Amino acid sequence: QVQLVESGGGLVQPGGSLRLSCAASGSIFSINTMGWYRQAAGKERELVAGIISGGIANYADSVKGRFTISRDNAENTVYLQMNSLKPEDTAVYYCNALVVVTTRSTLDVWGQGTLVTVSS
C-alpha cells in the first residue's frame, strides 16, 4: 500500500548535473530512513547516500563532495542533487525508504529505479 515514485534520470554529459526526486505515498505514519542506491552493469548494488529523519546524512566515498541528499518530511520526499558527474556514475538509481506503517510495524519499500547515463 506504500509506493515510491521517482523522477529525474536521463542522459547527461561528463561534468553535468542531474537532480533525482522520490516521493512516497500511501499508508504512512512516518519514515525513519530514506536513501539512494545504484547498480552499474556487472556490479553489486551499493548505497550512494542515506538520510535519517533527524537530517543526518552519509555518503559513499566515491560521491562525497559531488552529491547532496536532502528530504522534505512534510511531503515524504527525498532528493539527490548530483554535480560533476563522471562516466563511472552511470547506473540504475533506486530510491529506498523504511516506512513506519503503524506504531507496531515497518515496511522496507523500493522504487522501480531510474537510469542515469553519463556519456559524451
Side-chain angles (χ1 to χ4, degrees):
Q1 200 168 10
V2 179
Q3 190 171 16
L4 302 180
V5 180
E6 304 171 359
S7 63
L11 175 65
V12 65
Q13 294 183 343
S17 298
L18 285 174
R19 190 192 191 202
L20 306 183
S21 300
C22 174
S25 62
S27 300
I28 300 172
F29 183 80
S30 64
I31 301 178
N32 287 338
T33 305
M34 303 188 80
W36 292 93
Y37 292 72
R38 69 185 181 187
Q39 186 168 22
K43 297 185 178 180
E44 297 181 351
R45 186 175 300 186
E46 64 174 346
L47 175 66
V48 177
I51 186 167
I52 64 174
S53 59
I56 299 175
N58 65 287
Y59 301 89
D61 289 339
S62 59
V63 307
K64 285 183 178 178
R66 299 188 298 119
F67 292 9
T68 302
I69 188 171
S70 61
R71 64 186 288 176
D72 184 340
N73 290 333
E75 299 295 330
N76 292 323
T77 301
V78 64
Y79 306 93
L80 185 67
Q81 179 67 46
M82 304 185 293
N83 298 325
S84 302
L85 284 162
K86 304 175 181 180
E88 50 263 44
D89 294 319
T90 297
V92 177
Y93 285 71
Y94 297 91
C95 178
N96 173 258
L98 182 60
V99 179
V100 181
V101 180
T102 71
T103 57
R104 297 178 298 277
S105 64
T106 60
L107 185 65
D108 191 28
V109 185
W110 290 87
Q112 64 267 42
T114 183
L115 177 63
V116 173
T117 302
V118 185
S119 176
S120 299

